[in-house]
Every structure is written in structure tokens, then in C-alpha cells.
Amino acid sequence: MKQVGGEKNTVKTGEKFSPSESFLKNLEEAQEKKREEQERPPVVNLFFSFDIVNSTQCKTLTSRWPTIIKELLEKIRAKVVEEMSAVQPNGLDCILWRVIGDELVFVTSVYTEQQIVDAVAVIFTVTQEVSRLLKTGQFYEDLGNQLIPNEERIILRGNNRLSIKAAAWIAAINEKIESPYDSICFCYDATSARRDIQEFLGADIDTGFRLKQYTQDRRLVVSLELAYFMIEARKQNGALARNLGKIPEINDVLHILDYVRLKGVWNESLYPVIWYHNEQIYSKVWGLDKEGTLAEFNKSFRYDETENNPIVKNYFCRKAYLEGKQTENACDCTMLHKSLYTVNTALPKIIHDRNLNDKLTYIGNLLKNETPVPRRRWGSHPVELHCAVVCCDAGRPRAMVVQRHSKDDRVPGLWEFGCAKIISEEETTKIATKYYEEKFNIKISLVKDTRREKQPQPYPLALYEITHDSDNNIKKGVILVAKIENPPEEFSLIANDRYVKARWITESEMNEILPEQAVDDFHVTLKTVFKNYHYFFPKGE
């Protein structure tokens, strides 16, 4: 008999129990998708956060503040998803990565410089729209009496200082570090139920989290790398906004407020604090005068903002000095050459001095791939497949069955065949084999379908679905067949909290286990295996 990959047990082509063509096609498509996933190159991810401003004050005004914060976070999330789906050409698949108290952090993959420009315009739009809903009190009106009584809404509107602030940055994301400019993405288990948490780690991720403290309500701070590619898009496309009328100059959109030292970034050398401000979006959202003069960056500040934020105070103080309106001694802030306070002259100098050209070239090449990269759903959980294996003694028709612990949360005390969990990134044969050796001290060879000559896969006896928990989540499962390779009397339970018994069972002994003592279709599965034993293990092989 033909052997595949060192496995002795196979099912001959044309024999009984041939899987349906549709099943094989789906299995092959899944394998192809897995190979594509493994071969994907790095991608550029845009990270952005929204943070609620003055949430502490809200907590002193009403005991219903958890409801307010929850509804506000949901409002932000809904607007982000709606707006990002409209980014051309096919929308951006935006994932909510983290919720940290009253802060939301999103991530999406971007594939062109123009997508970066459009996405930043979306982030700014959401920031302004939500801030306006809060300032006008419309947000509280929309909550209604069911969530917030009218008398409390009046107090909240009258004392309202809630707003939101935003930050955005980019990073090259890879499965592993292949370039000094890569950050990595990986999963780790949150619970024993394999509810994975997605994590991103890298220098650019850290930079973003350090930088986001240098923004304030209604404002959006962006990283140097993000600002650079916005400038590049402006050079190539002459477009900086999402069809919002007149295209503004880059220096009217990106403003260097100050230079600060970010912990762990650039050896704590000075880093530019760059704010994005789009006058057209600002004017459209806030409904300002027809001339739009109040939408200009320098006129968009409240009268007392220089007192509340040293970054803003330094900006106006320095601006007055550079315009010759006051002496340098009157300005207690970092004072660099005036060319370093406009982005189109400052960024080339900083990039040269910080040796960032190679890094930006690397990221730029990822944004110019001629072949579109399949989108990664960074925030989604990998596919989980339950894999039950009927482990058989090839020398005589009998199978190993095991009994769950009486305290098991799903099938307490019931007989079954064991069940490995295979995640989409893992190899089925490898994980199933390892599981049965660890749990039952047996070495198994999965019966494989030899019709798949290029990549023979374990032979599917049946598919099944189970309700996994109180939320009625459905888990998918497949039943496989295998031969126990080590001497048949040597299997035993390895100490664990899942199973309490393991035994051989023959066809004549099946009825010793009553239907209510076993998992669904337990007897049907055994009958199917015994009926076709000679196909799975011809001549005891």
C-alpha cells in the first residue's frame, strides 16, 4: 500500500467512504488560504487612539457615568467603522484593538500613501464630530430618559467639559522580525478556552503610545513617519483631503507645536510634536463663519488654552518671537532654527540627522507593492477546529474510548474519543498526534486520504457542531481515524483534570455504554469505524 509522509495507514483511491467533492474542495481551499497566510509579506498598519477628556469631572456629576462613558465609546467606534468603510477604493477594514479605561485604540492595514491621507482625515473628522456632539449637549439628548434622567442631562449639558482627543501613527508589521524596522504581531491565550488576544510589539508601537500624551481635546497628534508619507502623497497626488473642496497646503494641515523628549525614543533626543488640522473639515463640522477664518489653526483655539497646555503656550510664545513680536528672553521654551517649525523644511532635516532614510524607504516600498497584499484581519481570532480521533488497534477491531471527569464543564462524566483543538495556524497531524501522546501515552498514525497526492490530509469520518458555552457559541469539529503505533496494552491516562478513565472497546462491547452515558453519536461513530475496519487497516496494517 502507498505510504505518505511516513504514515502507514491510508485509504485507497476509489475505496468506500470517499469524502464528497465539495468537502475536499473546501478542505483544499482552507489549506491554500493557510499557505497564503504564511507567505504574506509585511504590511503597514495605521494605529490610532481616541481618549475621553475630562472624564473625571463627569464622574463627579452623575452616578450614571459608566453608562455615559460606555455610550460615548460606542459612538466613537460606530463612527470610525462607518467612516473608514468609505475610504477609497474598497474601504479600510478597521479593528478595535484595545479598550483601556476611557480610551479606544484602533488598527487598520493601509496599502498606499493616499489611504494614509484619507484615513487621517477620517480620524480628524470623527474627533471633531464627537467633540461637537459633546459641546452642544446633543450627545446627552440622544441618550434619552431611559439611560439618563432629564434633570441629570440638564446638569451635564450645563457643566459639560467632556471632549475627545486623538493620536495616530504607523508601523511595519510582520509575523517575525526580518528587518530592523519591523514590529511584530502575535497572539496569546487569554483563557483556557483559547480566546486569543492580539498583541503588537515594536519600537514604532511604543513611540505612538508615548506620543499620544502630547495632544488635547479636539486635536490629533501624528507621528513623524505618518507625517512624512502624507507629504509624499501630497507631492505625488496633489491631494490631502477626501474631496472636501480646495486642497490645503501641507504647512496649513500639519503643524509642529513643539519638540519633546519621548522616553525610549531616539535615545530621548528631541521629537517633533505634529498636530493635524484640516480647516475644511473643521469648518464643515462646527459650522463657522462663511469666510472660515475661525477654522484657521491659529484661531481655532479657545481663549484660555495657552494656560491649560504648555505645548500650546510654547507654540504661541515661540511664534511671536519668530515673527519678531517679542524677545527670545520672554519665551521660556525650546528654541530651534525657524525652519524646524514648518514640516516641509523640518522633516527632511530631521530624517537626515536621525538616519531615517532607509526606514522610510522600507515602509514606502511596502506602500507601493504592485501586487495587492491580502488583507489581514489582525483583530480576529484564528479558526478553531475540534478534532476527535478514534484511535484503533490495527491487529484486532477495537477502539480506545475515554471518560470525561464528572466536573467537566461541557460533557461531565460522558464517554468519548478524546478531542484535540487545532488552531488555523497549526498543522492538524502534528497537533493531534502531540495531544494524544500527552493525554494517553499513545503514538498514533492518522489515516490519510491518498487521493490528495500533493498534500494528503487526515481522513474525515464526519463533521459535527457543538454548543460550547452559555452564550451558545458554536464550535466546529471533525472526527478522524488513527492507528495506535506503540504496543496496544501500553496506553494509559496521563494525570490531568479532563479524563478519568480509558479503555479498549470492541463492537460487541459497545452496548455496555448506554447512550446517555456517552457524547452524541458515540455509537454511530463506533459502528461506522467497525463496519469499515478493513478499509482503514487492511490486513492489520
Side-chain angles (χ1 to χ4, degrees):
M1 176 174 289
K2 180 178 178 180
Q3 297 184 19
V4 182
E7 302 275 358
K8 295 182 179 180
N9 303 292
T10 57
V11 176
K12 297 179 180 178
T13 303
E15 292 281 16
K16 201 173 180 179
F17 266 94
S18 298
S20 67
E21 291 299 322
S22 61
F23 183 90
L24 290 173
K25 182 179 179 181
N26 290 339
L27 199 59
E28 196 164 323
E29 288 176 352
Q31 291 295 322
E32 181 63 28
K33 185 176 180 180
K34 178 181 176 182
R35 287 193 294 274
E36 288 179 357
E37 187 79 25
Q38 293 172 339
E39 295 170 358
R40 283 177 176 171
V43 295
V44 178
N45 273 15
L46 171 66
F47 296 84
F48 55 100
S49 70
F50 296 96
D51 202 349
I52 299 176
V53 180
N54 293 327
S55 59
T56 301
Q57 185 184 59
C58 175
K59 296 173 184 178
T60 66
L61 296 175
T62 174
S63 62
R64 293 176 173 84
W65 65 263
T67 298
I68 294 174
I69 298 300
K70 172 183 175 295
E71 293 297 319
L72 180 52
L73 293 176
E74 177 55 32
K75 173 70 74 174
I76 296 170
R77 188 203 65 79
K79 280 189 171 291
V80 167
V81 172
E82 178 185 0
E83 294 281 347
M84 285 295 185
S85 65
V87 172
Q88 297 300 316
N90 299 313
L92 291 177
D93 190 11
C94 189
I95 302 299
L96 176 58
W97 173 30
R98 285 182 176 180
V99 180
I100 311 171
D102 50 11
E103 177 188 4
L104 299 173
V105 184
F106 294 86
V107 58
T108 185
S109 296
V110 286
Y111 302 96
T112 66
E113 293 162 351
Q114 188 59 42
Q115 280 188 335
I116 291 178
V117 170
D118 293 343
V120 170
V122 164
I123 299 166
F124 186 75
T125 299
V126 172
T127 304
Q128 302 314 310
E129 288 181 346
V130 175
S131 294
R132 185 176 184 277
L133 287 175
L134 290 166
K135 182 175 178 59
T136 61
Q138 185 60 48
F139 171 75
Y140 303 107
E141 293 298 324
D142 292 342
L143 292 180
N145 282 328
Q146 288 185 331
L147 295 178
I148 306 293
N150 184 57
E151 58 272 17
E152 289 196 25
R153 294 208 308 274
I154 293 174
I155 294 174
L156 288 166
R157 286 199 306 271
N159 295 275
N160 183 38
R161 292 284 306 278
L162 279 186
S163 187
I164 66 169
K165 58 184 179 180
W169 62 98
I170 59 173
I173 304 297
N174 207 345
E175 299 291 346
K176 57 184 179 180
I177 299 295
E178 296 179 340
S179 160
Y181 313 119
D182 283 341
S183 295
I184 61 171
C185 174
F186 65 95
C187 293
Y188 58 88
D189 294 343
T191 69
S192 58
R194 293 299 293 267
R195 295 183 182 276
D196 296 333
I197 291 179
Q198 204 86 23
E199 182 62 291
F200 298 90
L201 290 178
D204 288 334
I205 312 297
D206 283 353
T207 297
F209 279 103
R210 298 289 184 190
L211 182 63
K212 69 185 185 68
Q213 64 182 299
Y214 293 99
T215 183
Q216 69 178 45
D217 60 296
R218 310 181 336 277
R219 302 302 180 184
L220 167 60
V221 65
V222 300
S223 68
L224 177 139
E225 291 83 0
L226 190 152
Y228 170 82
F229 287 108
M230 293 183 71
I231 295 173
E232 289 300 295
R234 179 71 174 86
K235 291 178 181 177
Q236 295 183 21
N237 304 325
L240 196 61
R242 301 179 305 141
N243 302 318
L244 292 170
K246 178 184 176 182
I247 302 301
E249 293 296 327
I250 194 67
N251 287 320
D252 294 331
V253 176
L254 297 175
H255 304 267
I256 297 180
L257 269 287
D258 204 353
Y259 285 81
V260 296
R261 301 183 191 277
L262 302 179
K263 186 176 179 180
V265 179
W266 292 0
N267 295 321
E268 300 188 21
S269 296
L270 292 176
Y271 189 100
V273 176
I274 306 172
W275 282 7
Y276 173 94
H277 180 84
N278 189 305
E279 292 181 12
Q280 294 157 3
I281 296 175
Y282 194 85
S283 180
K284 182 180 179 180
V285 171
W286 291 93
L288 303 176
D289 57 309
K290 293 182 180 180
E291 291 75 22
T293 55
L294 294 180
E296 294 176 8
F297 181 67
N298 291 334
K299 296 180 180 180
S300 66
F301 291 86
R302 290 189 299 270
Y303 74 94
D304 60 349
E305 282 190 84
T306 56
E307 292 298 316
N308 297 328
N309 191 325
I311 293 290
V312 176
K313 183 176 183 179
N314 289 345
Y315 170 74
F316 280 107
C317 186
R318 186 186 300 107
K319 187 176 188 305
Y321 167 73
L322 293 175
E323 292 175 353
K325 298 177 181 179
Q326 68 180 39
T327 64
E328 182 177 357
N329 292 334
C331 189
D332 184 21
C333 59
T334 302
M335 187 64 66
L336 305 176
H337 190 275
K338 64 180 181 179
S339 65
L340 292 174
Y341 295 98
T342 53
V343 291
N344 61 354
T345 53
L347 263 61
K349 173 66 173 172
I350 297 170
I351 290 167
H352 175 269
D353 291 351
R354 297 297 314 170
N355 292 322
L356 297 174
N357 282 296
D358 288 347
K359 175 184 180 179
L360 294 171
T361 298
Y362 176 75
I363 297 175
N365 288 335
L366 298 180
L367 293 170
K368 294 182 175 64
N369 282 326
E370 295 182 3
T371 304
V373 178
R375 293 183 184 272
R376 298 175 189 242
R377 292 189 60 87
W378 294 114
S380 62
H381 299 308
V383 176
E384 180 180 291
L385 181 70
H386 287 230
C387 183
V389 181
V390 183
C391 301
C392 301
D393 176 5
R396 53 181 293 199
R398 58 179 182 172
M400 184 189 76
V401 294
V402 294
Q403 186 181 30
R404 288 269 187 162
H405 197 285
S406 61
K407 295 182 180 180
D408 185 82
D409 60 354
R410 188 174 63 84
V411 286
L414 299 187
W415 288 89
E416 58 164 66
F417 308 102
C419 185
K421 292 179 183 179
I422 314 296
I423 305 303
S424 55
E425 290 87 354
E426 300 171 338
E427 184 180 336
T428 302
T429 299
K430 181 179 179 180
I431 299 303
T433 301
K434 179 181 178 182
Y435 175 86
Y436 279 83
E437 183 171 8
E438 290 179 349
K439 293 294 183 184
F440 310 114
N441 194 33
I442 57 174
K443 298 182 184 299
I444 63 172
S445 297
L446 293 171
V447 174
K448 291 190 174 182
D449 180 10
T450 58
R451 296 188 307 174
R452 296 172 56 82
E453 294 183 359
K454 185 175 181 180
Q455 283 193 319
Q457 294 298 315
Y459 189 81
L461 191 67
L463 296 176
Y464 64 92
E465 293 182 343
I466 54 175
T467 302
H468 186 262
D469 52 32
S470 59
D471 295 328
N472 293 320
N473 293 319
I474 303 299
K475 297 293 185 179
K476 312 294 183 181
V478 61
I479 301 176
L480 308 177
V481 184
K483 172 190 173 182
I484 297 179
E485 292 286 3
N486 48 329
E489 303 303 333
E490 289 186 3
F491 77 79
S492 62
L493 283 177
I494 307 298
N496 65 81
D497 58 0
R498 178 166 294 182
Y499 301 102
V500 293
K501 289 182 182 179
R503 59 168 286 193
W504 287 115
I505 192 169
T506 64
E507 187 170 13
S508 63
E509 296 169 334
M510 283 194 304
N511 293 331
E512 294 178 6
I513 298 176
L514 300 177
E516 61 269 21
Q517 296 175 323
V519 296
D520 293 343
D521 293 324
F522 175 82
H523 293 84
V524 172
T525 299
L526 282 175
K527 287 179 181 178
T528 303
V529 171
F530 289 134
K531 182 178 180 180
N532 297 277
Y533 218 77
H534 61 289
Y535 291 105
F536 298 136
F537 312 107
K539 299 180 181 179
E541 295 181 4

